[in-house]
Amino acid sequence: MKMTLGQDYLASQELLNNHYSDLKGKPFFPTLIEYMSSGPVVAMVWEGKGAVKTGRVMLGETNPADSKPGTIRGDFCIDIGKNIIHGSDSVESAKKEISLWFKDDELVSYTSCAFSWLY
């Protein structure tokens, strides 16, 4: 299978430096930026009741070795420095990160037909 992706799927050094600015002083920072810019990135926004907490459970622990089977990191990651997925750790972080990756007109909000069944 061949996949063709546009330039928008490759994160720029500037974007990654901003996104991971809290880690700039860490020894693994340069390797993290190199890894994150080595291939395509799919950015998305999840919303709903407890989305951050539930998302973090689905992702697994930051260290893949500590992640349970059935989580994304538990099933698909080996090395902490080459983590396959990132998830915001708070609503505040999510708002900051969303504003880095998306313009307001790129976000789509809608009410699912199942909304009234769930909430």
Side-chain angles (χ1 to χ4, degrees):
M1 179 170 102
K2 181 179 178 185
M3 183 186 309
T4 304
L5 299 170
Q7 186 65 27
D8 291 346
Y9 289 95
L10 299 175
S12 70
Q13 296 281 322
E14 180 183 1
L15 173 60
L16 293 170
N17 282 321
N18 284 331
H19 182 93
Y20 291 109
S21 62
D22 59 322
L23 302 175
K24 276 191 177 164
K26 303 288 184 179
F28 60 83
F29 182 77
T31 307
L32 171 67
I33 300 303
E34 180 183 349
Y35 175 71
M36 290 298 299
S37 60
S38 69
V41 173
V42 177
M44 63 180 83
V45 177
W46 297 350
E47 65 180 352
K49 186 176 181 180
V52 171
K53 183 179 178 182
T54 302
R56 302 286 296 175
V57 170
M58 292 169 54
L59 270 55
E61 301 298 321
T62 301
N63 183 347
D66 297 333
S67 295
K68 294 178 181 172
T71 64
I72 295 168
R73 291 177 178 145
D75 289 353
F76 300 106
C77 294
I78 296 172
D79 188 289
I80 194 169
K82 294 186 176 176
N83 227 323
I84 194 171
I85 193 163
H86 169 82
S88 303
D89 59 2
S90 68
V91 173
E92 295 76 28
S93 293
K95 288 178 181 177
K96 176 189 170 249
E97 293 168 0
I98 290 166
S99 72
L100 289 172
W101 289 88
F102 297 97
K103 297 177 189 134
D104 286 341
D105 64 348
E106 295 174 323
L107 296 171
V108 176
S109 188
Y110 69 97
T111 302
S112 166
C113 61
F115 182 85
S116 62
W117 290 89
L118 298 172
Y119 299 99

